[in-house]
Amino acid sequence: MRFSIAAALATVDEVDFRSLRDAIEITDSALSKQITLLEDAGYVKVRKGFVGKRARTWLSLSPKGRTALTRHVAALQEIAFGTPPVRDSNR
């Protein structure tokens, strides 16, 4: 589930909680729990605010989260296809 969240966040600058929930087809409570774990790891940034009188939560992938996702995808690629991982030029 965390991989799906990170992959969805990698495609946008920022997304609201409800849109992410609907995109990955998960319950509010399950998404909230996973977001907390990802935020604690420093992979996701959470921004809270209001639209009118309604509380809203916006989510984005942090630079650390983007790097972790890239490395994870490279590792999966190596497992699946036997190809060496793509090297991050920023390292």
Side-chain angles (χ1 to χ4, degrees):
M1 193 52 54
R2 288 186 291 267
F3 181 80
S4 295
I5 293 167
L9 291 175
T11 64
V12 297
D13 289 331
E14 186 176 66
V15 67
D16 66 279
F17 184 94
R18 181 182 298 169
S19 295
L20 180 61
R21 178 203 64 202
D22 293 347
I24 61 174
E25 299 177 346
I26 188 173
T27 65
D28 285 356
S29 61
L31 179 56
S32 181
K33 180 178 179 180
Q34 297 304 318
I35 290 298
T36 297
L37 293 170
L38 289 166
E39 183 181 26
D40 289 348
Y43 292 167
V44 169
K45 294 180 185 178
V46 177
R47 182 174 68 86
K48 295 186 180 271
F50 287 87
V51 174
K53 293 184 179 185
R54 293 183 176 231
R56 295 282 191 242
T57 300
W58 293 273
L59 309 161
S60 60
L61 196 60
S62 71
K64 181 179 178 181
R66 194 168 299 280
T67 298
L69 178 63
T70 300
R71 288 181 181 166
H72 190 75
V73 168
L76 290 173
Q77 180 181 4
E78 186 171 15
I79 291 166
F81 303 111
T83 58
V86 176
R87 297 290 176 208
D88 184 354
S89 61
N90 295 327
R91 292 192 293 167

